Amino acid sequence: MPQARFHIVWLFIFNTSLIILTPLIRGPGNYLAFTLIFLSTNLLILSFVWQAIKNGSIEICLSPLSVVSLFFLAVILSSFFFTINPASTRYGFFTMASVIINSIFLSFILPKNKVWKGLTSVLAITVFILSVIALYQYITGHGSFEGRGHGTFVNPNSYAGYLLLTMPVLIGIYLVSERMKYIFFFLSLLSFAALLSTGTGGRWIILTAAIAVALILFWIFAHVHRARLKVLILGLLAILLLFSIPSGNGNALFSPKPAELSGSTTDRLNIWKSTWGVIKEHPIRGVGFWSFHTIYSKYKNQAYKDIEHFFSHNDYLQLWAELGLIGVGIFLILIYLYFRDGLRCLKKMSLQTPDLIFVGAIPLWLPPQGQAQGPAPTHRIMLLSTLIGSFLVLVHTISDFDLYIPAILFIFWGYIAYTSSIARELGLYKTKIIDL
């Protein structure tokens, strides 16, 4: 194997393993898994260095997203020096270092590279398997939450966050694919059914509203695909009807599960109030990354004295409590830049008027005469899909802890990498070659 390709191959293997295996990690306490991930990340770095030595040059593209991500990682590292739980912060840093370094390497992979197509296929297969498991748990009542679907995740709400992040990608592929459109139509319906299986009767409304927002965004930004969207909307309504239709005994066919298992709004408000108590005493530097659970017992409502809470159920509040105002501020800047650059890419690609051609069932395009070749129109839909998924999970995590779930974390930063890759090919980010 040529040395120039070794880094790309290992990057693909590493990310394939992450997509398949991280859903099996049931929370931040799995230190062995995070150690293995960090060691694999070091192999990724070594493969990059080895490739650079062989090539005699290094390609550098310090995009705003990569720079701010590294600043965010530096804040996490600095929190190690004043954390109240050094062991937990150390593994938190290992995990985020793996996430961000991997994202930066992925951002150098151009959209047309088969790595992205391969990773998307792996993600689709993983979502399919997890959806089948969740529906089995829901219908049979087997599982850890009295029949609420959770796949292999720590709880149903985290699995719902995962589906909100990934389901738009399935929809996007359905909209642009020719040969695979029926498969991804089915996968979109299946993942929606799995999403409903995570909730109670009341949460169905919220989750359906989230998908409705996604469909509205697709309708606005992908108007040429509205005919397929109409078919998909009918299919999703049929799934929702299936979950609501009364059966002969007067119960719903897929009976709603007990609402108290997801935690009430009052519970979350009380936890947020306690989290604010942590923030007021440590507003600037926080208490250390992944250390919230260590100090929370000092501030929590006495009604929960016999209940252990590891998360604040609001990632923004928890980041503030752990990393202080500087840490949460840098994260919010990253989010702003991510959506700003993503929308700039969408706008620039929409101004292109390519002639669409097909090679077999694969949509390709030829740029107008005199225009430089850039991302294909299908990449615009995929970018839109990742932005929509990111938006949904960032809203969902206002009342949950999605960004502390490894499976969600790696995919989310993978979406950031994809945006950087598109921006780089469009010329929004400049690349420099340094000879060694």
Side-chain angles (χ1 to χ4, degrees), residues 63-86:
S63 70
L65 294 175
S66 297
V67 171
V68 176
S69 293
L70 289 173
F71 270 117
F72 184 62
L73 183 61
V75 172
I76 293 173
L77 177 61
S78 67
S79 75
F80 180 76
F81 297 101
F82 50 79
T83 180
I84 60 174
N85 189 333

Side-chain angles (χ1 to χ4, degrees), residues 184-197:
F184 279 93
F185 175 76
F186 168 74
L187 286 177
S188 298
L189 298 186
L190 184 71
S191 61
F192 180 62
L195 181 65
L196 293 180
S197 80

Side-chain angles (χ1 to χ4, degrees), residues 203-235:
R203 276 182 60 85
W204 287 355
I205 299 173
I206 298 173
L207 296 173
T208 302
I211 298 304
V213 169
L215 294 173
I216 291 170
L217 292 173
F218 276 116
W219 188 272
I220 295 171
F221 291 99
H223 53 86
V224 297
H225 301 290
R226 286 179 179 175
R228 288 196 185 183
L229 268 177
K230 292 177 183 178
V231 176
L232 179 63
I233 290 171
L234 291 176

Side-chain angles (χ1 to χ4, degrees), residues 238-249:
I239 295 296
L240 185 61
L241 182 64
L242 179 65
F243 271 73
S244 307
I245 237 175
S247 61
N249 58 7

